Amino acid sequence: MKNMKKIIVVVVSIIMLGYIIFGINSCTNKKEAHALKIKTAVVHRGDLMSKVTNTGSVQPKTTVQIKSNVGGEIVRLPVKEGDWVEKGDLLVELDTTNLKNKLSQSEADLATAKAKLSTLLAGERPQEIDKTRELLHQAEIKLEDAKIKLDRQNGLFSQGFISKQDVDTAQRECDLTQSIYNSASLNLSLMLEGAREQDITSAKASVLKAEVAYEQAASDVSDAMIYAPLSGTILEKNVEEGEKITSGIGNNSGGTVILTIGDLSTMQILTMINEVDIATVKIGQDVEITLDAIKGEKYQGRVTDIASLGKVENNIVTYDVVVEILGVGSGRQEVEGRSQEKAGIRQAADGRWKRGGDREIQGHKGTEGGRSLEFGVRRRQKAESRWMTTDDRRLKAEEGISRVPNPAFLTKKLKTGMTADVDIVTDKKTNVLYVPLEAIVEHKGRKGVLVLENGKFVHRKIETGIQDETHVHVIEGLTEGEEVKLKSLTPKKGEN
C-alpha cells in the first residue's frame, strides 16, 4: 500500500513538472514575440541629392615630363624631388663634346659647299682661260708636226726605204696628238661657255643641305641645356648625374623621362566611372570630396572633363573623369567666396568686385603682378546642345568659376597621389517628399509602399524620382507625415 502511494506521488510530480516546464516555455515565446515590433518611418520633406560615388587619385592639373631632344651623358642635374623651380631655370646639362665636334664638321662642309657654288657663279678666271688657250695652241703645233711626219713616213714606205711598222708608229703618234688637241679645244669651249644651269642648281642644293645640317648641329648643342618650361615642383627624378639618356626624337621608346614637373597651385582628381553611371555624369557638376589622409575635412570640386573613349579591364568598361578641386566648403559658391576673400577681394553693393579698400576692378577683370584674374559668377545656361563639342561643353561648364588658384593652405595639405573619395552630384531636389529605400516594395513592376491607415498597413502605388544611398524621392502617392512600413523588424527599445 505504501509502495502504491509512492508511485502515485512520483507520477503526479512528473506531470506537474511537465506543466511547469511547458508554462515557462510558453511565457518565453510570448515574451520574445512581443519583444519584436514592426519598423516604420515617417514621410519627410527636405532636400535630396543623387550621387555617383567612386575613388580617385589627387594629381596636379598641369604635369610636364622633361625629355631631351638629344642623347648623351648627364654632367649636371642640380635639382631633386620636391624642389620648386621657376620657368627658365636650368634643369639638366649634357656633355657637348661630340655635339660640338659635329657642329665644327658641319660648319666646314657648309663653307666647302658655298665655295663651290661661288666658283660656278663667278666662272673661270682670265688666267685659267689664257692657260687653256696656250695648251690648245701647243696641241695644235704638235698635231701639225705629227701629220707632217706621217706624210713623210708614208712617202718613204712607198719607196721601200722603211718598213710598215715605222708607218704605223707615226700614225699612232698622229692620232694621240689629235686627241690631245680635241681635249684642249673642248676645255676652252667649256670655259668660255661658263657653268651649266644644272651644275649651279646642284651646287645650290648642296649649300642648302649643308646649312640644314649646320643648323641642326647648332640646335643639338643648344638642346644639351634643358630649362624648366613652367614654374612648378619636381615630382619625379628618374636619372642621376653620369647616366646616359636617349633622345625623345626619332626613338621608338619615346626617349628617357628625366624629370616630371607639376603645377601644384591647382589640383585635380582622376577617377574612373563605370559605364552604368557615366551617362548621368556631366561636365560642370558639383563634387563632394573627402581624403583618407585628411580626416574631418570635406572639399568641393567640379567635373571638368569626361573621356570619350572607355577603357576595358576585366570585362568592365570605365571612363576617366577629371574633377578639379575648388577648395574647402559646403558648396561651390562658398568655396569661391572663400578663395576670393583669401585674395583680398570683396563684392560691393552694386555687384562689382573690389580689392582691399576702395579701388575698383572694372568689368569683373583685373591683374595682379602681371597675372590676369577673372572674378564674378556668370549664370551658366542649363540647356546644352547635343551637337556641342567637348571643348564647348568644358567652356560652358567653366563659366562662373573663379580662376583664383587653390589657396596656399589647401595646396600644402594636398599631396600628389593621395586617395580621394568623390561623390559627383548628378541631381538635386529641394523641399521634396522622401522615404527610406527600405520602404519600397514592388508588385507587378510597379513601386509602392505599405501605409499605416486606421491601424492597418495598406498597399499604395507611388511614383518615385531620384535617390541617394538611403532615401528615394516620392513624386506622387504620399503626403508629409504619413507612416510607412519598412521591410525589417527591430527589437523594442529597452528589451533584449
Side-chain angles (χ1 to χ4, degrees):
M1 206 51 196
K2 290 181 179 181
N3 291 336
M4 191 65 177
K5 287 181 179 181
K6 289 180 180 180
I7 294 173
I8 293 173
V9 170
V10 171
V11 172
V12 172
S13 298
I14 293 174
I15 294 174
M16 291 180 65
L17 181 61
Y19 275 113
I20 292 173
I21 294 173
F22 177 78
I24 292 173
N25 290 336
S26 299
C27 291
T28 302
N29 292 335
K30 289 180 180 180
K31 184 177 180 181
E32 291 179 353
H34 287 290
L36 295 175
K37 70 172 183 177
I38 297 174
K39 187 177 180 182
T40 61
V42 177
V43 180
H44 289 288
R45 182 178 295 276
D47 299 340
L48 199 64
M49 289 189 298
S50 177
K51 303 177 183 178
V52 172
T53 302
N54 210 333
T55 59
S57 176
V58 176
Q59 302 290 337
K61 186 176 182 180
T62 303
T63 303
V64 177
Q65 290 184 335
I66 304 300
K67 298 182 179 181
S68 176
N69 289 335
V70 295
E73 180 182 343
I74 298 176
V75 296
R76 190 180 177 195
L77 190 59
V79 296
K80 63 181 183 299
E81 290 185 1
D83 284 354
W84 169 266
V85 294
E86 295 285 348
K87 182 178 180 180
D89 286 350
L90 176 67
L91 299 178
V92 185
E93 181 180 351
L94 302 179
D95 180 26
T96 57
T97 302
N98 292 334
L99 298 176
K100 288 182 178 179
N101 289 339
K102 290 181 179 179
L103 177 61
S104 298
Q105 180 64 48
S106 62
E107 187 177 11
D109 293 341
L110 176 60
T112 301
K114 286 183 176 180
K116 183 177 180 181
L117 176 61
S118 178
T119 299
L120 290 175
L121 293 176
E124 297 292 342
R125 293 180 298 172
Q127 297 90 331
E128 293 292 336
I129 295 176
D130 292 342
K131 181 179 180 180
T132 303
R133 280 198 177 106
E134 180 61 27
L135 292 175
L136 177 62
H137 180 64
Q138 293 177 5
E140 185 178 8
I141 293 174
K142 290 181 179 180
L143 178 60
E144 290 296 330
D145 290 343
K147 288 182 177 179
I148 292 172
K149 183 178 180 179
L150 177 61
D151 290 340
R152 185 184 303 116
Q153 293 295 85
N154 283 328
L156 293 174
F157 176 72
S158 63
Q159 296 176 9
F161 292 110
I162 59 174
S163 64
K164 176 63 175 172
Q165 183 178 359
D166 294 332
V167 175
D168 293 340
T169 302
Q171 182 64 50
R172 284 194 297 272
E173 290 179 356
C174 182
D175 293 339
L176 179 60
T177 54
Q178 180 67 52
S179 176
I180 293 173
Y181 172 81
N182 292 341
S183 178
S185 177
L186 180 60
N187 287 338
L188 179 61
S189 298
L190 292 176
M191 282 187 176
L192 296 176
E193 289 178 2
R196 295 179 301 173
E197 187 64 30
Q198 53 267 40
D199 292 336
I200 295 175
T201 300
S202 177
K204 287 181 178 180
S206 296
V207 171
L208 180 60
K209 182 179 179 180
E211 286 177 343
V212 171
Y214 174 77
E215 291 175 358
Q216 182 62 53
S219 177
D220 289 345
V221 173
S222 176
D223 289 340
M225 307 285 283
I226 304 175
Y227 300 92
L230 79 163
S231 298
T233 303
I234 304 296
L235 301 179
E236 284 185 299
K237 180 181 177 183
N238 300 314
V239 294
E240 298 293 340
E241 291 184 3
E243 291 187 44
K244 292 186 177 181
I245 62 172
T246 58
S247 169
I249 299 177
N251 193 312
N252 293 333
S253 64
T256 305
V257 178
I258 306 171
L259 302 166
T260 301
I261 301 178
D263 179 8
L264 304 185
S265 63
T266 305
M267 304 293 281
Q268 63 185 20
I269 296 172
L270 178 63
T271 184
M272 294 184 294
I273 303 300
N274 193 288
E275 62 177 330
V276 176
D277 300 318
I278 194 64
T280 62
V281 178
K282 308 293 181 184
I283 291 178
Q285 287 175 336
D286 291 333
V287 182
E288 297 176 353
I289 304 164
T290 56
L291 298 129
D292 295 343
I294 306 176
K295 302 295 184 181
E297 288 190 1
K298 180 177 289 187
Y299 299 86
Q300 291 299 314
R302 53 126 188 227
V303 177
T304 58
D305 199 12
I306 303 172
S308 300
L309 181 64
K311 298 178 179 178
V312 181
E313 186 174 351
N314 297 327
N315 294 325
I316 299 175
V317 181
T318 59
Y319 293 81
D320 287 342
V321 174
V322 178
V323 175
E324 183 177 357
I325 303 175
L326 300 178
V328 182
S330 59
R332 180 184 296 180
Q333 292 182 351
E334 178 183 338
V335 171
E336 292 168 354
R338 185 179 291 112
S339 298
Q340 292 162 353
E341 183 179 352
K342 290 278 183 182
I345 303 163
R346 62 184 178 84
Q347 189 175 21
D350 59 1
R352 295 180 178 179
W353 290 96
K354 294 184 178 181
R355 179 188 303 278
D358 298 323
R359 185 166 64 88
E360 183 178 287
I361 301 174
Q362 298 291 339
H364 301 289
K365 293 184 179 180
T367 59
E368 180 182 24
R371 179 168 58 90
S372 175
L373 302 175
E374 182 175 348
F375 310 112
V377 178
R378 296 190 296 271
R379 180 169 58 88
R380 184 172 71 252
Q381 298 292 336
K382 292 183 178 180
E384 292 184 352
S385 169
R386 60 180 297 184
W387 304 111
M388 291 175 66
T389 65
T390 300
D391 290 337
D392 292 335
R393 293 196 300 272
R394 184 182 299 111
L395 289 174
K396 287 184 69 65
E398 289 180 351
E399 291 182 0
I401 302 300
S402 170
R403 305 313 300 158
V404 177
N406 295 149
F409 79 93
L410 177 59
T411 55
K412 286 182 179 179
K413 287 186 176 182
L414 296 178
K415 302 296 183 184
T416 302
M418 280 185 173
T419 300
D421 295 319
V422 295
D423 293 329
I424 302 174
V425 181
T426 57
D427 201 354
K428 185 175 182 179
K429 300 294 182 181
T430 59
N431 195 30
V432 296
L433 298 178
Y434 61 86
V435 296
L437 290 170
E438 198 177 353
I440 303 299
V441 294
E442 290 193 16
H443 180 66
K444 294 183 178 179
R446 290 293 304 274
K447 292 183 178 180
V449 293
L450 296 176
V451 185
L452 184 62
E453 295 182 1
N454 300 322
K456 296 182 180 181
F457 288 103
V458 179
H459 183 270
R460 188 185 300 175
K461 296 178 181 179
I462 62 172
E463 183 180 350
T464 60
I466 67 170
Q467 67 182 51
D468 60 14
E469 295 86 350
T470 56
H471 294 84
V472 61
H473 171 209
V474 179
I475 300 175
E476 185 179 353
L478 292 175
T479 58
E480 185 178 359
E482 287 188 301
E483 192 172 357
V484 295
K485 180 182 178 182
L486 303 183
K487 296 178 182 178
S488 64
L489 299 176
T490 59
K492 287 186 179 181
K493 187 175 181 181
E495 296 188 11
N496 297 324

